[in-house]
Amino acid sequence: MSGIFQRISLIFRAKTDKALDKMEDPRQTLDYSYQRQLELLQKVRRGVADVATSRKRVELQANQLNAQIDKLNQQAQKALQVGREDLAREALTRKSGIAQQLADLQTQHAQLLGEEEKLTRASQRLQAKVDAFRTRKETIKATYSAAEAQTRINEAFSGIGEEMGDVGLAIQRAEDKTAQMQARAGAIDELLASGALEDPTGTAKDDITLELEQLASSSDVENELARMKASLGAGPAAAAPAALEGQGNPTPQSAAPPTQGGYTAPDAGQQWSTGQQQAPGVQQPNHEDLR
């Protein structure tokens, strides 16, 4: 039974330590430690001040005792001068007691002075240690802040951070869904093309139908092109014989141009000249008759 409680206690301590580590901020811990060191340094300084105060009080008491000793010496001398030896003896007896007190005060003053010097050196060492700790603390805090910022930036770039994690997952889901829709659309197109699925609108055709229609369209184009070539080739061939027949057998209008008053008009392209031959069947006009 005790073993069960020990395991429960161990698990509880482990979980508590993990929760505390997660909640702990090293910067706050360093600031708290620095504050505690400042408080300790303040206590040491206060102790040095207390020792110095005690030393000063001992010095004041010693000065008072010295003053009493001087006064008793003067009283003893005056008593001897007036012949009062008994008074002089009493004064010297008091002086002896006061001198013993002065010796004790001097011993205490030496102890207090040594304690004060010791505390002063401890305070100086502690002050140097606190200053060094403050410098190291600020350096660690700056380094930790920079590392924390760099970690957040890296997490943002990589998308594994808490803030950017949701955005990265949303992008991944959108890409997966888009790829799935594209694959589904491609599969439906292949099934429609192969005839495995029927198009209710009747617009979809299988591959064989499309190929036959393409062949028929190509045949129509070739036939139309052949007819156009034939019509273009027949035109010049039919016009050439007609032109040859017109040169050898002129039409009545071209052979016998209209005459006016016995004058026969020359044909177009012909010129009147003395050396020009007269066309057969055409009478050369006489200039005298024209006058």
Side-chain angles (χ1 to χ4, degrees):
M1 194 68 179
S2 60
I4 296 174
F5 287 117
Q6 288 179 358
R7 291 185 61 188
I8 293 173
S9 178
L10 180 61
I11 293 171
F12 180 76
R13 287 201 301 270
K15 289 186 178 296
T16 303
D17 291 339
K18 186 176 181 180
L20 291 175
D21 290 340
K22 187 175 181 180
M23 294 174 61
E24 182 183 8
D25 189 349
R27 294 168 294 187
Q28 296 178 356
T29 304
L30 291 174
D31 290 337
Y32 179 73
S33 299
Y34 178 69
Q35 188 65 31
R36 292 294 304 274
Q37 290 183 10
L38 288 179
E39 293 177 359
L40 179 60
L41 179 61
Q42 188 66 24
K43 288 181 179 179
V44 173
R45 288 176 176 174
R46 191 177 297 113
V48 174
D50 292 340
V51 172
T53 302
S54 299
R55 179 181 55 81
K56 194 66 179 178
R57 289 182 62 184
V58 170
E59 289 178 355
L60 291 174
Q61 291 177 3
N63 293 332
Q64 291 176 359
L65 293 177
N66 285 324
Q68 290 180 6
I69 289 173
D70 293 339
K71 184 178 179 181
L72 290 173
N73 280 330
Q74 293 176 2
Q75 289 175 353
Q77 289 178 0
K78 288 181 180 179
L80 289 176
Q81 290 176 359
V82 296
R84 295 291 303 272
E85 185 176 353
D86 54 342
L87 293 178
R89 185 176 293 106
E90 181 65 24
L92 292 176
T93 302
R94 292 181 180 179
K95 176 187 172 184
S96 176
I98 293 174
Q100 185 63 37
Q101 294 178 6
L102 181 61
D104 295 339
L105 287 177
Q106 289 177 351
T107 304
Q108 294 180 3
H109 180 269
Q111 294 178 355
L112 291 174
L113 185 61
E115 190 70 20
E116 182 182 355
E117 292 177 354
K118 186 187 300 181
L119 289 177
T120 301
R121 289 194 296 270
S123 176
Q124 293 174 353
R125 289 196 300 270
L126 184 59
Q127 178 67 49
K129 183 178 179 181
V130 171
D131 293 340
F133 180 80
R134 182 182 61 185
T135 303
R136 186 169 178 78
K137 173 180 72 71
E138 296 298 330
T139 303
I140 293 173
K141 287 174 63 178
T143 306
Y144 182 82
S145 299
E148 186 180 21
Q150 186 65 35
T151 302
R152 289 182 178 177
I153 291 171
N154 293 336
E155 289 179 350
F157 278 117
S158 60
I160 62 175
E162 295 180 357
E163 297 178 357
M164 299 299 293
D166 297 337
V167 178
L169 291 176
I171 294 173
Q172 184 65 34
R173 288 196 298 270
E175 291 178 350
D176 293 341
K177 193 169 184 179
T178 301
Q180 184 179 0
M181 293 299 292
Q182 291 176 348
R184 184 177 179 83
I188 292 174
D189 289 340
E190 291 180 357
L191 293 174
L192 290 173
S194 63
L197 292 179
E198 294 182 356
D199 185 8
T201 60
T203 55
K205 299 176 182 178
D206 54 6
D207 295 339
I208 298 175
T209 303
L210 291 175
E211 189 174 359
L212 291 174
E213 290 181 356
Q214 186 176 3
L215 291 174
S217 177
S218 301
S219 179
D220 294 339
V221 170
E222 294 297 332
N223 293 333
E224 184 66 21
L225 183 62
R227 285 197 297 270
M228 292 178 66
K229 289 181 178 179
S231 63
L232 291 175
L244 294 174
E245 290 176 357
Q247 292 179 358
N249 297 321
T251 58
Q253 289 80 7
S254 62
T259 58
Q260 293 180 355
Y263 172 75
T264 302
D267 194 2
Q270 293 182 351
Q271 297 181 355
W272 297 102
S273 64
T274 55
Q276 187 175 8
Q277 294 181 358
Q278 185 177 1
V282 178
Q283 187 177 359
Q284 183 71 29
N286 192 358
H287 293 284
E288 295 296 335
D289 295 339
L290 293 175
R291 293 175 183 174

